[in-house]
Amino acid sequence: MAMTDEELSRLLEKLKRKYEEHSKKNPTWFNREAFEERLATALSNRMNMEAFILAEIANFEKVRERYEKKKGEKPFSERVDRIIGEMQARIEKYPEIRFHPKAGVEISRFYGALSLFCLEYFPALFIVVTEKPLRDRLIAFEASLAPLALPRGGRPARRIEDHIARIGQPGVREIEIERDRSEYLKESAFLLHEIAEFCDGLMDTRDPEWGNPLRFDRLYLEEPRRKRVTALFSGLTGYGAILKVRDYALGVIGDFRLGAFRRKEDS
């Protein structure tokens, strides 16, 4: 049975108090601001709040248990540094593109991850897909991906340029910047989910030609990008390339905790 609004409200207030209390002990482990950002994003996107709150409670308790366990171990500071380093490694493996001094590390890494996907992973699907209806979908994905991720000469992607403009607005409030940042992450996550699902559909198609090695003579890109894509996908079959693109997209979604941002289907 679904919880009532009153029950959800009580749970949320309890969780807020827990973050308030524990962030005073260790703001790195119990990042209250990050929680508030996730909550604001969930509310603005009308997510399933029962699922969101229960997931946040479970995550909080896991972090609290690890914190309590490590708190009594010595040397504590060294162990915390190692644990935090492991957590940060999930996003630090992606290239960082610092497009503004006030841009945070997360969005800088995410933009780097998405740009890499756009420039060097997604193009491999054009080698695999030859039928017009499927290629039309690829072209549509590419058109949606470009403003989010594709640098333009010495300028960043159009959507990132919009975010820079928002940061630089006179009198802009921090919450407005965070709202725009969250919107960018949400838009990108929607698209990554759709591309991953498209790849799943391709795997179900079972085209015999996709069992053959990739034909890089079908890859029409400028050098040296063509060489980088070729190096990434060298030795793979069509199916292998589809899986590699899919896994990268899902990896970005998971590493940046964007799994909840999936476009709702029309009822």
Side-chain angles (χ1 to χ4, degrees), residues 113 116-129 138 141 145 191-200 202-203 214 229 232-233 236-253:
L116 182 62
F117 179 72
C118 177
L119 291 168
E120 299 183 17
Y121 281 81
F122 185 76
L125 294 179
F126 282 100
I127 305 175
V128 179
V129 174
L138 282 185
F141 284 139
L145 191 58
L191 185 57
L192 287 173
H193 271 298
E194 290 168 2
I195 292 172
E197 288 168 0
F198 175 76
C199 289
D200 284 335
L202 292 180
M203 293 299 295
L214 287 182
V229 176
L232 269 175
F233 290 87
L236 295 182
T237 64
Y239 284 118
I242 295 168
L243 286 174
K244 191 178 185 75
V245 173
R246 171 188 176 274
D247 289 349
Y248 183 91
L250 292 178
V252 172
I253 290 169

mmCIF file of all heavy atoms in Angstrom, residues 113 116-129 138 141 145 191-200 202-203 214 229 232-233 236-253:
data_model
loop_
_atom_site.group_PDB
_atom_site.id
_atom_site.type_symbol
_atom_site.label_atom_id
_atom_site.label_comp_id
_atom_site.label_asym_id
_atom_site.label_seq_id
_atom_site.Cartn_x
_atom_site.Cartn_y
_atom_site.Cartn_z
ATOM 1 N N ALA A 113 32.562 13.711 -19.690
ATOM 2 C CA ALA A 113 32.111 12.350 -20.002
ATOM 3 C C ALA A 113 31.166 12.343 -21.189
ATOM 4 O O ALA A 113 31.257 11.489 -22.079
ATOM 5 C CB ALA A 113 31.423 11.741 -18.777
ATOM 6 N N LEU A 116 33.006 13.123 -24.494
ATOM 7 C CA LEU A 116 33.735 11.942 -24.957
ATOM 8 C C LEU A 116 32.787 10.950 -25.609
ATOM 9 O O LEU A 116 33.103 10.360 -26.651
ATOM 10 C CB LEU A 116 34.463 11.291 -23.780
ATOM 11 C CG LEU A 116 35.319 10.061 -24.105
ATOM 12 C CD1 LEU A 116 36.439 10.414 -25.067
ATOM 13 C CD2 LEU A 116 35.901 9.462 -22.826
ATOM 14 N N PHE A 117 31.629 10.754 -25.011
ATOM 15 C CA PHE A 117 30.619 9.859 -25.583
ATOM 16 C C PHE A 117 30.196 10.346 -26.970
ATOM 17 O O PHE A 117 30.126 9.566 -27.925
ATOM 18 C CB PHE A 117 29.407 9.797 -24.667
ATOM 19 C CG PHE A 117 28.296 8.925 -25.173
ATOM 20 C CD1 PHE A 117 28.421 7.542 -25.176
ATOM 21 C CD2 PHE A 117 27.119 9.484 -25.654
ATOM 22 C CE1 PHE A 117 27.394 6.725 -25.646
ATOM 23 C CE2 PHE A 117 26.088 8.693 -26.126
ATOM 24 C CZ PHE A 117 26.227 7.308 -26.127
ATOM 25 N N CYS A 118 29.932 11.639 -27.075
ATOM 26 C CA CYS A 118 29.472 12.222 -28.337
ATOM 27 C C CYS A 118 30.531 12.128 -29.432
ATOM 28 O O CYS A 118 30.223 11.799 -30.582
ATOM 29 C CB CYS A 118 29.091 13.686 -28.085
ATOM 30 S SG CYS A 118 28.562 14.596 -29.559
ATOM 31 N N LEU A 119 31.772 12.380 -29.075
ATOM 32 C CA LEU A 119 32.841 12.463 -30.070
ATOM 33 C C LEU A 119 33.428 11.112 -30.450
ATOM 34 O O LEU A 119 33.801 10.905 -31.612
ATOM 35 C CB LEU A 119 33.965 13.368 -29.545
ATOM 36 C CG LEU A 119 33.636 14.853 -29.424
ATOM 37 C CD1 LEU A 119 34.719 15.572 -28.633
ATOM 38 C CD2 LEU A 119 33.476 15.478 -30.801
ATOM 39 N N GLU A 120 33.501 10.175 -29.488
ATOM 40 C CA GLU A 120 34.288 8.974 -29.740
ATOM 41 C C GLU A 120 33.548 7.654 -29.549
ATOM 42 O O GLU A 120 34.031 6.616 -30.002
ATOM 43 C CB GLU A 120 35.548 8.995 -28.868
ATOM 44 C CG GLU A 120 36.434 10.203 -29.176
ATOM 45 C CD GLU A 120 37.725 10.211 -28.385
ATOM 46 O OE1 GLU A 120 38.097 9.145 -27.837
ATOM 47 O OE2 GLU A 120 38.363 11.273 -28.309
ATOM 48 N N TYR A 121 32.408 7.647 -28.899
ATOM 49 C CA TYR A 121 31.657 6.405 -28.701
ATOM 50 C C TYR A 121 30.453 6.322 -29.634
ATOM 51 O O TYR A 121 30.310 5.361 -30.398
ATOM 52 C CB TYR A 121 31.195 6.271 -27.242
ATOM 53 C CG TYR A 121 32.281 5.793 -26.308
ATOM 54 C CD1 TYR A 121 33.225 6.677 -25.810
ATOM 55 C CD2 TYR A 121 32.379 4.456 -25.929
ATOM 56 C CE1 TYR A 121 34.237 6.246 -24.953
ATOM 57 C CE2 TYR A 121 33.369 4.016 -25.076
ATOM 58 C CZ TYR A 121 34.299 4.917 -24.600
ATOM 59 O OH TYR A 121 35.304 4.485 -23.764
ATOM 60 N N PHE A 122 29.591 7.315 -29.571
ATOM 61 C CA PHE A 122 28.354 7.287 -30.350
ATOM 62 C C PHE A 122 28.594 7.105 -31.856
ATOM 63 O O PHE A 122 27.822 6.380 -32.516
ATOM 64 C CB PHE A 122 27.553 8.562 -30.087
ATOM 65 C CG PHE A 122 26.212 8.577 -30.750
ATOM 66 C CD1 PHE A 122 25.151 7.833 -30.250
ATOM 67 C CD2 PHE A 122 26.006 9.329 -31.905
ATOM 68 C CE1 PHE A 122 23.916 7.846 -30.874
ATOM 69 C CE2 PHE A 122 24.773 9.342 -32.536
ATOM 70 C CZ PHE A 122 23.721 8.596 -32.016
ATOM 71 N N PRO A 123 29.629 7.714 -32.461
ATOM 72 C CA PRO A 123 29.823 7.552 -33.907
ATOM 73 C C PRO A 123 29.968 6.111 -34.369
ATOM 74 O O PRO A 123 29.688 5.806 -35.533
ATOM 75 C CB PRO A 123 31.109 8.349 -34.182
ATOM 76 C CG PRO A 123 31.149 9.372 -33.097
ATOM 77 C CD PRO A 123 30.604 8.679 -31.891
ATOM 78 N N ALA A 124 30.400 5.215 -33.481
ATOM 79 C CA ALA A 124 30.578 3.814 -33.882
ATOM 80 C C ALA A 124 29.264 3.176 -34.308
ATOM 81 O O ALA A 124 29.261 2.239 -35.122
ATOM 82 C CB ALA A 124 31.209 3.020 -32.734
ATOM 83 N N LEU A 125 28.143 3.666 -33.801
ATOM 84 C CA LEU A 125 26.852 3.095 -34.186
ATOM 85 C C LEU A 125 26.550 3.332 -35.662
ATOM 86 O O LEU A 125 25.818 2.545 -36.283
ATOM 87 C CB LEU A 125 25.731 3.681 -33.319
ATOM 88 C CG LEU A 125 25.774 3.321 -31.827
ATOM 89 C CD1 LEU A 125 24.621 3.981 -31.089
ATOM 90 C CD2 LEU A 125 25.743 1.811 -31.622
ATOM 91 N N PHE A 126 27.100 4.392 -36.230
ATOM 92 C CA PHE A 126 26.879 4.652 -37.649
ATOM 93 C C PHE A 126 27.599 3.635 -38.535
ATOM 94 O O PHE A 126 27.239 3.452 -39.702
ATOM 95 C CB PHE A 126 27.339 6.073 -38.012
ATOM 96 C CG PHE A 126 26.355 7.137 -37.610
ATOM 97 C CD1 PHE A 126 26.545 7.866 -36.452
ATOM 98 C CD2 PHE A 126 25.240 7.407 -38.392
ATOM 99 C CE1 PHE A 126 25.641 8.848 -36.075
ATOM 100 C CE2 PHE A 126 24.331 8.379 -38.023
ATOM 101 C CZ PHE A 126 24.532 9.107 -36.863
ATOM 102 N N ILE A 127 28.620 2.972 -37.971
ATOM 103 C CA ILE A 127 29.271 1.893 -38.724
ATOM 104 C C ILE A 127 28.367 0.674 -38.763
ATOM 105 O O ILE A 127 28.256 -0.014 -39.781
ATOM 106 C CB ILE A 127 30.617 1.497 -38.071
ATOM 107 C CG1 ILE A 127 31.524 2.710 -37.905
ATOM 108 C CG2 ILE A 127 31.313 0.409 -38.873
ATOM 109 C CD1 ILE A 127 32.807 2.401 -37.166
ATOM 110 N N VAL A 128 27.702 0.416 -37.644
ATOM 111 C CA VAL A 128 26.916 -0.803 -37.488
ATOM 112 C C VAL A 128 25.579 -0.709 -38.220
ATOM 113 O O VAL A 128 25.168 -1.629 -38.940
ATOM 114 C CB VAL A 128 26.672 -1.084 -35.988
ATOM 115 C CG1 VAL A 128 25.830 -2.343 -35.816
ATOM 116 C CG2 VAL A 128 27.995 -1.206 -35.243
ATOM 117 N N VAL A 129 24.891 0.407 -38.029
ATOM 118 C CA VAL A 129 23.516 0.548 -38.516
ATOM 119 C C VAL A 129 23.497 1.004 -39.969
ATOM 120 O O VAL A 129 24.091 2.024 -40.314
ATOM 121 C CB VAL A 129 22.733 1.555 -37.641
ATOM 122 C CG1 VAL A 129 21.354 1.810 -38.215
ATOM 123 C CG2 VAL A 129 22.635 1.039 -36.212
ATOM 124 N N LEU A 138 19.317 7.316 -35.292
ATOM 125 C CA LEU A 138 20.662 7.737 -34.909
ATOM 126 C C LEU A 138 20.868 9.226 -35.191
ATOM 127 O O LEU A 138 21.445 9.955 -34.379
ATOM 128 C CB LEU A 138 21.719 6.926 -35.669
ATOM 129 C CG LEU A 138 22.015 5.504 -35.203
ATOM 130 C CD1 LEU A 138 23.171 4.930 -36.003
ATOM 131 C CD2 LEU A 138 22.347 5.478 -33.720
ATOM 132 N N PHE A 141 19.112 11.182 -32.569
ATOM 133 C CA PHE A 141 19.886 11.181 -31.325
ATOM 134 C C PHE A 141 21.064 12.148 -31.424
ATOM 135 O O PHE A 141 21.351 12.896 -30.494
ATOM 136 C CB PHE A 141 20.424 9.775 -31.026
ATOM 137 C CG PHE A 141 19.396 8.818 -30.485
ATOM 138 C CD1 PHE A 141 19.372 7.497 -30.919
ATOM 139 C CD2 PHE A 141 18.473 9.217 -29.542
ATOM 140 C CE1 PHE A 141 18.436 6.604 -30.420
ATOM 141 C CE2 PHE A 141 17.529 8.316 -29.029
ATOM 142 C CZ PHE A 141 17.517 7.004 -29.476
ATOM 143 N N LEU A 145 22.038 15.227 -29.060
ATOM 144 C CA LEU A 145 23.271 15.135 -28.287
ATOM 145 C C LEU A 145 24.191 16.325 -28.520
ATOM 146 O O LEU A 145 24.859 16.805 -27.583
ATOM 147 C CB LEU A 145 23.988 13.828 -28.662
ATOM 148 C CG LEU A 145 25.178 13.361 -27.828
ATOM 149 C CD1 LEU A 145 24.783 13.180 -26.367
ATOM 150 C CD2 LEU A 145 25.718 12.049 -28.401
ATOM 151 N N LEU A 191 18.510 11.448 -22.426
ATOM 152 C CA LEU A 191 19.037 11.039 -23.725
ATOM 153 C C LEU A 191 19.914 9.801 -23.616
ATOM 154 O O LEU A 191 19.826 8.892 -24.461
ATOM 155 C CB LEU A 191 19.813 12.200 -24.350
ATOM 156 C CG LEU A 191 20.331 11.990 -25.770
ATOM 157 C CD1 LEU A 191 19.193 11.647 -26.727
ATOM 158 C CD2 LEU A 191 21.071 13.235 -26.260
ATOM 159 N N LEU A 192 20.753 9.729 -22.598
ATOM 160 C CA LEU A 192 21.602 8.550 -22.422
ATOM 161 C C LEU A 192 20.760 7.295 -22.202
ATOM 162 O O LEU A 192 21.082 6.226 -22.727
ATOM 163 C CB LEU A 192 22.557 8.763 -21.246
ATOM 164 C CG LEU A 192 23.706 9.742 -21.478
ATOM 165 C CD1 LEU A 192 24.469 9.987 -20.178
ATOM 166 C CD2 LEU A 192 24.661 9.237 -22.561
ATOM 167 N N HIS A 193 19.692 7.415 -21.425
ATOM 168 C CA HIS A 193 18.794 6.277 -21.237
ATOM 169 C C HIS A 193 18.195 5.835 -22.575
ATOM 170 O O HIS A 193 18.117 4.631 -22.870
ATOM 171 C CB HIS A 193 17.647 6.661 -20.294
ATOM 172 C CG HIS A 193 17.938 6.432 -18.846
ATOM 173 N ND1 HIS A 193 18.200 5.187 -18.325
ATOM 174 C CD2 HIS A 193 17.996 7.303 -17.801
ATOM 175 C CE1 HIS A 193 18.405 5.290 -17.025
ATOM 176 N NE2 HIS A 193 18.289 6.552 -16.677
ATOM 177 N N GLU A 194 17.762 6.802 -23.382
ATOM 178 C CA GLU A 194 17.131 6.471 -24.662
ATOM 179 C C GLU A 194 18.119 5.801 -25.612
ATOM 180 O O GLU A 194 17.763 4.854 -26.329
ATOM 181 C CB GLU A 194 16.550 7.734 -25.282
ATOM 182 C CG GLU A 194 15.325 8.252 -24.529
ATOM 183 C CD GLU A 194 14.921 9.650 -24.962
ATOM 184 O OE1 GLU A 194 15.576 10.206 -25.872
ATOM 185 O OE2 GLU A 194 13.960 10.198 -24.382
ATOM 186 N N ILE A 195 19.353 6.277 -25.616
ATOM 187 C CA ILE A 195 20.362 5.662 -26.481
ATOM 188 C C ILE A 195 20.683 4.242 -25.997
ATOM 189 O O ILE A 195 20.833 3.315 -26.815
ATOM 190 C CB ILE A 195 21.631 6.534 -26.530
ATOM 191 C CG1 ILE A 195 21.335 7.855 -27.261
ATOM 192 C CG2 ILE A 195 22.770 5.789 -27.224
ATOM 193 C CD1 ILE A 195 22.458 8.867 -27.205
ATOM 194 N N ALA A 196 20.786 4.052 -24.681
ATOM 195 C CA ALA A 196 21.040 2.708 -24.140
ATOM 196 C C ALA A 196 19.899 1.757 -24.497
ATOM 197 O O ALA A 196 20.132 0.590 -24.866
ATOM 198 C CB ALA A 196 21.224 2.774 -22.626
ATOM 199 N N GLU A 197 18.664 2.254 -24.408
ATOM 200 C CA GLU A 197 17.513 1.414 -24.771
ATOM 201 C C GLU A 197 17.507 1.118 -26.269
ATOM 202 O O GLU A 197 17.118 0.015 -26.689
ATOM 203 C CB GLU A 197 16.229 2.129 -24.362
ATOM 204 C CG GLU A 197 16.021 2.156 -22.855
ATOM 205 C CD GLU A 197 14.916 3.105 -22.435
ATOM 206 O OE1 GLU A 197 14.302 3.740 -23.330
ATOM 207 O OE2 GLU A 197 14.668 3.223 -21.220
ATOM 208 N N PHE A 198 17.923 2.075 -27.071
ATOM 209 C CA PHE A 198 18.046 1.848 -28.513
ATOM 210 C C PHE A 198 19.051 0.728 -28.779
ATOM 211 O O PHE A 198 18.822 -0.149 -29.624
ATOM 212 C CB PHE A 198 18.474 3.141 -29.198
ATOM 213 C CG PHE A 198 18.752 3.009 -30.671
ATOM 214 C CD1 PHE A 198 17.709 2.919 -31.591
ATOM 215 C CD2 PHE A 198 20.057 2.986 -31.149
ATOM 216 C CE1 PHE A 198 17.969 2.802 -32.945
ATOM 217 C CE2 PHE A 198 20.321 2.868 -32.500
ATOM 218 C CZ PHE A 198 19.276 2.774 -33.400
ATOM 219 N N CYS A 199 20.168 0.758 -28.061
ATOM 220 C CA CYS A 199 21.179 -0.288 -28.215
ATOM 221 C C CYS A 199 20.626 -1.649 -27.804
ATOM 222 O O CYS A 199 20.915 -2.672 -28.455
ATOM 223 C CB CYS A 199 22.416 0.048 -27.387
ATOM 224 S SG CYS A 199 23.383 1.438 -28.025
ATOM 225 N N ASP A 200 19.830 -1.686 -26.737
ATOM 226 C CA ASP A 200 19.194 -2.944 -26.339
ATOM 227 C C ASP A 200 18.296 -3.469 -27.457
ATOM 228 O O ASP A 200 18.257 -4.682 -27.730
ATOM 229 C CB ASP A 200 18.359 -2.732 -25.069
ATOM 230 C CG ASP A 200 19.213 -2.625 -23.821
ATOM 231 O OD1 ASP A 200 20.337 -3.170 -23.825
ATOM 232 O OD2 ASP A 200 18.759 -2.010 -22.846
ATOM 233 N N LEU A 202 18.690 -2.902 -30.628
ATOM 234 C CA LEU A 202 19.552 -3.426 -31.695
ATOM 235 C C LEU A 202 20.011 -4.842 -31.371
ATOM 236 O O LEU A 202 20.052 -5.710 -32.255
ATOM 237 C CB LEU A 202 20.768 -2.515 -31.886
ATOM 238 C CG LEU A 202 20.525 -1.112 -32.442
ATOM 239 C CD1 LEU A 202 21.849 -0.363 -32.551
ATOM 240 C CD2 LEU A 202 19.843 -1.167 -33.807
ATOM 241 N N MET A 203 20.357 -5.077 -30.109
ATOM 242 C CA MET A 203 20.817 -6.416 -29.730
ATOM 243 C C MET A 203 19.726 -7.458 -29.940
ATOM 244 O O MET A 203 20.009 -8.610 -30.260
ATOM 245 C CB MET A 203 21.265 -6.416 -28.267
ATOM 246 C CG MET A 203 22.501 -5.580 -27.985
ATOM 247 S SD MET A 203 23.969 -6.142 -28.892
ATOM 248 C CE MET A 203 24.226 -7.746 -28.159
ATOM 249 N N LEU A 214 33.983 -4.914 -37.295
ATOM 250 C CA LEU A 214 33.572 -3.596 -37.777
ATOM 251 C C LEU A 214 34.337 -3.211 -39.037
ATOM 252 O O LEU A 214 35.537 -3.491 -39.165
ATOM 253 C CB LEU A 214 33.822 -2.530 -36.696
ATOM 254 C CG LEU A 214 32.905 -2.520 -35.485
ATOM 255 C CD1 LEU A 214 33.302 -1.368 -34.571
ATOM 256 C CD2 LEU A 214 31.448 -2.377 -35.893
ATOM 257 N N VAL A 229 38.423 6.879 -32.545
ATOM 258 C CA VAL A 229 37.278 5.966 -32.565
ATOM 259 C C VAL A 229 37.729 4.574 -33.003
ATOM 260 O O VAL A 229 37.330 3.558 -32.425
ATOM 261 C CB VAL A 229 36.168 6.502 -33.492
ATOM 262 C CG1 VAL A 229 35.021 5.497 -33.589
ATOM 263 C CG2 VAL A 229 35.649 7.848 -32.996
ATOM 264 N N LEU A 232 39.450 2.802 -30.178
ATOM 265 C CA LEU A 232 38.506 2.378 -29.133
ATOM 266 C C LEU A 232 37.767 1.097 -29.504
ATOM 267 O O LEU A 232 37.504 0.250 -28.654
ATOM 268 C CB LEU A 232 37.483 3.484 -28.868
ATOM 269 C CG LEU A 232 37.791 4.515 -27.795
ATOM 270 C CD1 LEU A 232 36.714 5.602 -27.780
ATOM 271 C CD2 LEU A 232 37.885 3.865 -26.420
ATOM 272 N N PHE A 233 37.429 0.973 -30.790
ATOM 273 C CA PHE A 233 36.556 -0.127 -31.208
ATOM 274 C C PHE A 233 37.293 -1.178 -32.046
ATOM 275 O O PHE A 233 36.646 -2.087 -32.583
ATOM 276 C CB PHE A 233 35.364 0.427 -31.988
ATOM 277 C CG PHE A 233 34.389 1.188 -31.133
ATOM 278 C CD1 PHE A 233 34.572 2.534 -30.886
ATOM 279 C CD2 PHE A 233 33.311 0.547 -30.550
ATOM 280 C CE1 PHE A 233 33.692 3.244 -30.086
ATOM 281 C CE2 PHE A 233 32.423 1.241 -29.745
ATOM 282 C CZ PHE A 233 32.614 2.594 -29.508
ATOM 283 N N LEU A 236 36.505 -5.284 -32.513
ATOM 284 C CA LEU A 236 35.144 -5.610 -32.097
ATOM 285 C C LEU A 236 34.251 -5.946 -33.287
ATOM 286 O O LEU A 236 34.456 -5.450 -34.390
ATOM 287 C CB LEU A 236 34.524 -4.438 -31.325
ATOM 288 C CG LEU A 236 35.152 -4.072 -29.986
ATOM 289 C CD1 LEU A 236 34.384 -2.920 -29.350
ATOM 290 C CD2 LEU A 236 35.185 -5.268 -29.042
ATOM 291 N N THR A 237 33.266 -6.775 -33.025
ATOM 292 C CA THR A 237 32.210 -7.013 -34.011
ATOM 293 C C THR A 237 31.157 -5.915 -33.878
ATOM 294 O O THR A 237 31.228 -5.067 -32.986
ATOM 295 C CB THR A 237 31.543 -8.371 -33.759
ATOM 296 O OG1 THR A 237 30.897 -8.325 -32.466
ATOM 297 C CG2 THR A 237 32.555 -9.497 -33.788
ATOM 298 N N GLY A 238 30.158 -5.968 -34.748
ATOM 299 C CA GLY A 238 29.059 -5.013 -34.633
ATOM 300 C C GLY A 238 28.368 -5.121 -33.290
ATOM 301 O O GLY A 238 28.072 -4.108 -32.639
ATOM 302 N N TYR A 239 28.105 -6.351 -32.843
ATOM 303 C CA TYR A 239 27.475 -6.540 -31.542
ATOM 304 C C TYR A 239 28.363 -6.005 -30.413
ATOM 305 O O TYR A 239 27.881 -5.393 -29.454
ATOM 306 C CB TYR A 239 27.185 -8.022 -31.300
ATOM 307 C CG TYR A 239 25.998 -8.545 -32.053
ATOM 308 C CD1 TYR A 239 26.134 -9.562 -33.000
ATOM 309 C CD2 TYR A 239 24.722 -8.021 -31.830
ATOM 310 C CE1 TYR A 239 25.039 -10.040 -33.697
ATOM 311 C CE2 TYR A 239 23.626 -8.501 -32.517
ATOM 312 C CZ TYR A 239 23.784 -9.511 -33.461
ATOM 313 O OH TYR A 239 22.689 -9.975 -34.153
ATOM 314 N N GLY A 240 29.655 -6.246 -30.538
ATOM 315 C CA GLY A 240 30.582 -5.747 -29.524
ATOM 316 C C GLY A 240 30.567 -4.232 -29.441
ATOM 317 O O GLY A 240 30.625 -3.649 -28.353
ATOM 318 N N ALA A 241 30.478 -3.577 -30.600
ATOM 319 C CA ALA A 241 30.434 -2.119 -30.629
ATOM 320 C C ALA A 241 29.150 -1.594 -29.989
ATOM 321 O O ALA A 241 29.162 -0.618 -29.231
ATOM 322 C CB ALA A 241 30.552 -1.614 -32.066
ATOM 323 N N ILE A 242 28.032 -2.237 -30.298
ATOM 324 C CA ILE A 242 26.753 -1.826 -29.701
ATOM 325 C C ILE A 242 26.827 -1.921 -28.179
ATOM 326 O O ILE A 242 26.405 -1.004 -27.459
ATOM 327 C CB ILE A 242 25.604 -2.699 -30.235
ATOM 328 C CG1 ILE A 242 25.404 -2.463 -31.736
ATOM 329 C CG2 ILE A 242 24.307 -2.411 -29.477
ATOM 330 C CD1 ILE A 242 24.499 -3.479 -32.398
ATOM 331 N N LEU A 243 27.370 -3.023 -27.673
ATOM 332 C CA LEU A 243 27.483 -3.206 -26.229
ATOM 333 C C LEU A 243 28.424 -2.183 -25.601
ATOM 334 O O LEU A 243 28.165 -1.696 -24.490
ATOM 335 C CB LEU A 243 27.972 -4.621 -25.906
ATOM 336 C CG LEU A 243 26.953 -5.743 -26.079
ATOM 337 C CD1 LEU A 243 27.610 -7.101 -25.872
ATOM 338 C CD2 LEU A 243 25.789 -5.563 -25.094
ATOM 339 N N LYS A 244 29.495 -1.856 -26.295
ATOM 340 C CA LYS A 244 30.456 -0.884 -25.756
ATOM 341 C C LYS A 244 29.818 0.494 -25.619
ATOM 342 O O LYS A 244 30.005 1.181 -24.606
ATOM 343 C CB LYS A 244 31.696 -0.818 -26.659
ATOM 344 C CG LYS A 244 32.869 -0.046 -26.055
ATOM 345 C CD LYS A 244 34.061 -0.083 -26.996
ATOM 346 C CE LYS A 244 35.288 0.582 -26.378
ATOM 347 N NZ LYS A 244 35.920 -0.261 -25.352
ATOM 348 N N VAL A 245 29.053 0.897 -26.625
ATOM 349 C CA VAL A 245 28.355 2.190 -26.560
ATOM 350 C C VAL A 245 27.330 2.162 -25.431
ATOM 351 O O VAL A 245 27.230 3.104 -24.637
ATOM 352 C CB VAL A 245 27.671 2.506 -27.905
ATOM 353 C CG1 VAL A 245 26.810 3.764 -27.792
ATOM 354 C CG2 VAL A 245 28.715 2.681 -29.002
ATOM 355 N N ARG A 246 26.555 1.088 -25.384
ATOM 356 C CA ARG A 246 25.526 0.957 -24.339
ATOM 357 C C ARG A 246 26.136 0.989 -22.948
ATOM 358 O O ARG A 246 25.641 1.686 -22.048
ATOM 359 C CB ARG A 246 24.766 -0.355 -24.543
ATOM 360 C CG ARG A 246 23.816 -0.728 -23.415
ATOM 361 C CD ARG A 246 23.288 -2.138 -23.640
ATOM 362 N NE ARG A 246 22.437 -2.585 -22.542
ATOM 363 C CZ ARG A 246 22.894 -3.153 -21.422
ATOM 364 N NH1 ARG A 246 24.204 -3.336 -21.266
ATOM 365 N NH2 ARG A 246 22.058 -3.534 -20.472
ATOM 366 N N ASP A 247 27.208 0.229 -22.737
ATOM 367 C CA ASP A 247 27.815 0.142 -21.413
ATOM 368 C C ASP A 247 28.397 1.480 -20.968
ATOM 369 O O ASP A 247 28.354 1.826 -19.784
ATOM 370 C CB ASP A 247 28.898 -0.936 -21.394
ATOM 371 C CG ASP A 247 28.315 -2.339 -21.465
ATOM 372 O OD1 ASP A 247 27.080 -2.483 -21.322
ATOM 373 O OD2 ASP A 247 29.093 -3.290 -21.684
ATOM 374 N N TYR A 248 28.960 2.236 -21.914
ATOM 375 C CA TYR A 248 29.495 3.546 -21.549
ATOM 376 C C TYR A 248 28.357 4.464 -21.102
ATOM 377 O O TYR A 248 28.460 5.159 -20.082
ATOM 378 C CB TYR A 248 30.255 4.176 -22.711
ATOM 379 C CG TYR A 248 30.893 5.502 -22.344
ATOM 380 C CD1 TYR A 248 32.197 5.555 -21.855
ATOM 381 C CD2 TYR A 248 30.197 6.690 -22.466
ATOM 382 C CE1 TYR A 248 32.783 6.763 -21.505
ATOM 383 C CE2 TYR A 248 30.766 7.907 -22.115
ATOM 384 C CZ TYR A 248 32.066 7.930 -21.638
ATOM 385 O OH TYR A 248 32.626 9.145 -21.280
ATOM 386 N N ALA A 249 27.269 4.482 -21.871
ATOM 387 C CA ALA A 249 26.126 5.338 -21.520
ATOM 388 C C ALA A 249 25.582 4.971 -20.136
ATOM 389 O O ALA A 249 25.342 5.855 -19.298
ATOM 390 C CB ALA A 249 25.032 5.210 -22.566
ATOM 391 N N LEU A 250 25.403 3.683 -19.881
ATOM 392 C CA LEU A 250 24.885 3.245 -18.587
ATOM 393 C C LEU A 250 25.898 3.502 -17.468
ATOM 394 O O LEU A 250 25.511 3.779 -16.324
ATOM 395 C CB LEU A 250 24.520 1.765 -18.631
ATOM 396 C CG LEU A 250 23.330 1.400 -19.526
ATOM 397 C CD1 LEU A 250 23.100 -0.106 -19.509
ATOM 398 C CD2 LEU A 250 22.067 2.134 -19.087
ATOM 399 N N GLY A 251 27.171 3.413 -17.790
ATOM 400 C CA GLY A 251 28.209 3.699 -16.804
ATOM 401 C C GLY A 251 28.163 5.151 -16.344
ATOM 402 O O GLY A 251 28.281 5.436 -15.146
ATOM 403 N N VAL A 252 27.984 6.061 -17.281
ATOM 404 C CA VAL A 252 27.876 7.485 -16.928
ATOM 405 C C VAL A 252 26.644 7.711 -16.057
ATOM 406 O O VAL A 252 26.699 8.416 -15.044
ATOM 407 C CB VAL A 252 27.813 8.354 -18.196
ATOM 408 C CG1 VAL A 252 27.502 9.812 -17.848
ATOM 409 C CG2 VAL A 252 29.136 8.276 -18.959
ATOM 410 N N ILE A 253 25.532 7.104 -16.444
ATOM 411 C CA ILE A 253 24.301 7.238 -15.662
ATOM 412 C C ILE A 253 24.518 6.755 -14.233
ATOM 413 O O ILE A 253 24.134 7.418 -13.265
ATOM 414 C CB ILE A 253 23.155 6.442 -16.323
ATOM 415 C CG1 ILE A 253 22.720 7.116 -17.634
ATOM 416 C CG2 ILE A 253 21.963 6.319 -15.378
ATOM 417 C CD1 ILE A 253 21.798 6.269 -18.484
#
